[in-house]
Amino acid sequence: MAEKRIGILTSGGDCAGLNAALRAVVHRAIRGYGWRVFGIRDGSMGLMNRPLDYVEFDLSVVSGEMLRLGGTILGTINKGDPFAYPMPDGTKKDRSSEFVEGYQELGLDALIVIGGDGSMRILNKLCKLGNVPMVGIPKTIDNDVAHTDYAIGYVTALSVATEAIDRLAPTAASHHRVMILEVMGRDVGHIALSSGIGGGADVILIPEIPYSLEGIVAKIDDVRSEGRNHALVVVAEGCKTESGKSLTQLQTGGEARYGGIGQYLADKLGGLIEAETRVTVLGHVQRGGTPGMRDRLIASAFGVHAVDLIAQGKVDRMVAWQHGQVVDVPLAEIAGITRGVDPYGTLAHTARGLGIYIGESKA
Ligand code: F6P
């Protein structure tokens, strides 16, 4: 097979396991096919910057250290859509052609994009513009990418959230408190639901299922009447207030991010329950750290499969994990779909079966 030059980039919020995927891609491409691999820095920016910002990988990145390393050695961005790039004067500029020209200047034959659904959608649009063959690898702690049971980073984030509950439980018991843990997840509740079940929460609130303050209070009262002096509440950051308002906080740079639902609940519950309430917002700690075993495994499988797809000429596809197997699906089928928690699925049913209050939908 003729030598190919493939590019790889990470886009969107970072998470644990990205470097393991890079490692697998480099390993398979260089050792398996004798190709050259170019790592594009800072997502699409590396191809939009002049001079181009990239590194050619050699087999040194195939070392096992990459499996253990959190974050992404390539850097990433989760803002700055090239079709509407925010300029310093406040205007938006279409810089998509700079991306395509950058790709051509580097003489690439295909691009592997490691990203969430948002990045994948934008990058796929860019690639279509320049006839760039693209293969996507799903990653996001939110685990909301359609057609894959797991995205890279999710299970590590889940372990961090579960450990946080483990650590909150004894201090809750010591002080007879209700502990509220606010976890990430953007518009979906996968981290909250699974960590809440695994950590033994009494209340789990997720954006997919409406809740009431009365329901939360009734559950906490039940816990007390059964003789336990403390309770654990896990809430997904994307949950709305009872009146349907999303709570966000402005970050440096003016971008709004979810945040505040935990404190909102604490303030509301303050007047309704006797116990003291404390709030922990877990934040970006869920994205950092050493990747767990499941993420190392799927990242490795995804990386190998992505390169194999390019070798077979099967492009415009995303690798996915379904029923214990790596498979691939058309990129067009994941665009614009957010894979939320099924309010009537196994995990929601499990939570209800364990007596956890998860809101008001019918079982
Ligand atoms: O999508 C991943 C995620 O960590 C979300 O869970 C969270 O809402 C968001 O990114 C935070 O973004 P940022 O890194 O810009 O604060």
Side-chain angles (χ1 to χ4, degrees), residues 111-113 133-137 306 309-310 314-317 319:
L111 193 62
I112 295 179
V113 170
M134 170 181 155
V135 172
I137 297 181
L309 285 179
I310 294 173
K314 278 178 84 182
V315 290
D316 286 336
R317 301 187 73 79
V319 300

Side-chain angles (χ1 to χ4, degrees), residues 78 140-142 184-186 237 257 284 287:
N78 65 353
T140 166
I141 65 164
D142 307 335
M184 280 185 167
R186 217 180 285 256
E237 62 176 2
R257 289 288 181 267
H284 293 79
R287 298 222 307 241

Side-chain angles (χ1 to χ4, degrees), residues 156-176:
T156 304
L158 204 49
S159 303
V160 174
T162 308
E163 188 189 337
I165 303 171
D166 292 349
R167 288 172 184 272
L168 287 171
T171 174
S174 306
H175 287 268
H176 316 273

Side-chain angles (χ1 to χ4, degrees), residues 12-15 77-79 116-117 139-144 183-188 191 237-238 251 255-259 283-284 286-287:
D14 77 328
C15 61
I77 46 161
N78 65 353
K79 53 180 179 295
D117 59 338
K139 65 85 224 172
T140 166
I141 65 164
D142 307 335
N143 208 29
D144 58 357
V183 296
M184 280 185 167
R186 217 180 285 256
D187 298 311
V188 301
I191 296 178
E237 62 176 2
Q251 308 298 323
E255 298 239 342
R257 289 288 181 267
Y258 282 131
H284 293 79
Q286 292 157 102
R287 298 222 307 241

